[in-house]
Amino acid sequence: MTERLSVVSTDPATARAIAGGRRTRRFGAWYVALHRFRVMKSYTGTVVVAGIGNPLVYLYALGVGLATIVDVDLEGVSYLVFVAPALLASAAITVASEEFTYPIMLGYKWNPTFTGMSASPLRPTQIVDGIVISVAVRMTVNLVLFLLLILVFGAAPSPVAVGMIVAGLLGGLAFGTVLMGYTSTLEEDTGQLAMVMRFVVLPMTLFSGTFFPLSTFPIWLQWIGWISPLWHSTELARVFSFGYAEPIWLSVVHVVYLVVLIAVGWAWARRIAVRRLGR
């Protein structure tokens, strides 16, 4: 036996395979992220157009167009300044909705690349980690583009407005990782993901203080905002954007709530991946 191991360890091809396996096990999540970046190249045009076109249209239509009708100050600032951080936070939710739904079903079911990855030295948890990393990078790029357009429109007067990127990223990942966990549980898509868009994403956007302060809603609707990662992300972004006045403890609650959602959703998605790919 000792002689056999010695022969194996001195074989150059086997040694390279063992070294490659060790490297993959160590940096597996980054390999998966690299794979996702290459997949995203196939729809780079969509990513760029959505990253620039959507914020441009929303800022102009809602911020400039609607602002001429809603001629009031909200929280002491113009309507454009008030709504811009919410639009930025919504953009992160949009990216999360795109990347943590059908691409996950694709990897598990329709084009089971996750199964192929798990046949290599990659661990199922590394596959989940790599996807989250790649989406976080895409989300950050979108948020930077959005912030640049906001600055062009003069809708972020605070010198620390760059903090909106962190707020948007936290909100997008808080919603996205939980959504990824849910999508991972689906064996078939018989309309569940479409219902998530219609009955979760849309109401969340409408009732999370996006266009008007949450306090202006009836009390029986405000709970949607309280549990919505979009509301917490938006409130944080407004603090960075124009110094929105809220108690410091409430800002801490926003951060803690979003981080807890990220941790829970991420752990849930990893657990499902181990169960589905490890069997």
Side-chain angles (χ1 to χ4, degrees):
M1 184 66 180
T2 304
E3 181 182 355
R4 183 182 176 186
L5 288 176
S6 175
V7 170
V8 169
S9 62
T10 55
D11 180 68
T14 304
R16 283 197 299 273
I18 293 173
R22 287 174 181 164
R23 192 164 51 245
T24 303
R25 283 192 173 278
R26 182 178 302 173
F27 304 107
W30 297 100
Y31 284 122
V32 175
L34 181 61
H35 166 75
R36 284 298 308 163
F37 292 142
R38 289 175 174 170
V39 172
M40 287 178 188
K41 283 180 65 178
S42 63
Y43 52 93
T44 300
T46 303
V47 173
V48 173
V49 170
I52 299 175
N54 283 347
L56 189 61
V57 170
Y58 278 120
L59 282 171
Y60 193 80
L62 294 177
V64 179
L66 190 59
T68 60
I69 301 174
V70 186
D71 188 20
V72 296
D73 287 345
L74 294 172
E75 307 296 342
V77 295
S78 68
Y79 186 70
L80 176 60
V81 173
F82 175 81
V83 80
L87 296 178
L88 179 140
S90 297
I93 297 292
T94 300
V95 172
S97 303
E98 293 174 355
E99 295 290 346
F100 287 120
T101 50
Y102 294 106
I104 302 302
M105 282 298 295
L106 189 73
Y108 277 120
K109 179 70 178 178
W110 299 325
N111 183 18
T113 51
F114 295 169
T115 304
M117 291 178 180
S118 65
S120 72
L122 285 171
R123 293 189 295 272
T125 52
Q126 290 177 316
I127 297 173
V128 172
D129 295 347
I131 292 170
V132 174
I133 291 170
S134 65
V135 176
V137 171
R138 184 196 160 182
M139 206 176 279
T140 302
V141 171
N142 274 47
L143 291 173
V144 169
L145 292 174
F146 210 127
L147 177 60
L148 290 175
L149 286 171
I150 286 175
L151 294 176
V152 169
F153 275 80
S158 171
V160 293
V162 69
M164 287 196 292
I165 294 175
V166 178
L169 191 61
L170 284 175
L173 289 180
F175 176 71
T177 51
V178 174
L179 181 59
M180 183 184 187
Y182 170 70
T183 306
S184 301
T185 65
L186 300 178
E187 296 288 344
E188 299 283 352
D189 175 31
T190 55
Q192 296 96 322
L193 296 180
M195 285 193 287
V196 168
M197 300 297 176
R198 292 178 184 176
F199 298 112
V200 177
V201 177
L202 183 59
M204 182 171 63
T205 303
L206 294 176
F207 302 115
S208 293
T210 305
F211 306 110
F212 294 97
L214 190 65
S215 57
T216 61
F217 287 80
I219 190 67
W220 54 271
L221 275 179
Q222 292 185 20
W223 67 270
I224 297 177
W226 298 336
I227 65 172
S228 163
L230 178 57
W231 179 69
H232 293 276
S233 174
T234 297
E235 294 293 274
L236 269 181
R238 283 176 177 147
V239 171
F240 287 113
S241 174
F242 59 88
Y244 173 57
E246 68 173 11
I248 186 64
W249 65 264
L250 186 53
S251 297
V252 173
V253 168
H254 296 322
V255 174
V256 171
Y257 181 75
L258 294 175
V259 170
V260 168
L261 279 183
I262 293 172
V264 171
W266 201 329
W268 186 23
R270 293 178 110 213
R271 183 174 181 180
I272 298 297
V274 170
R275 179 170 63 81
R276 293 190 67 165
L277 302 175
R279 62 189 180 189

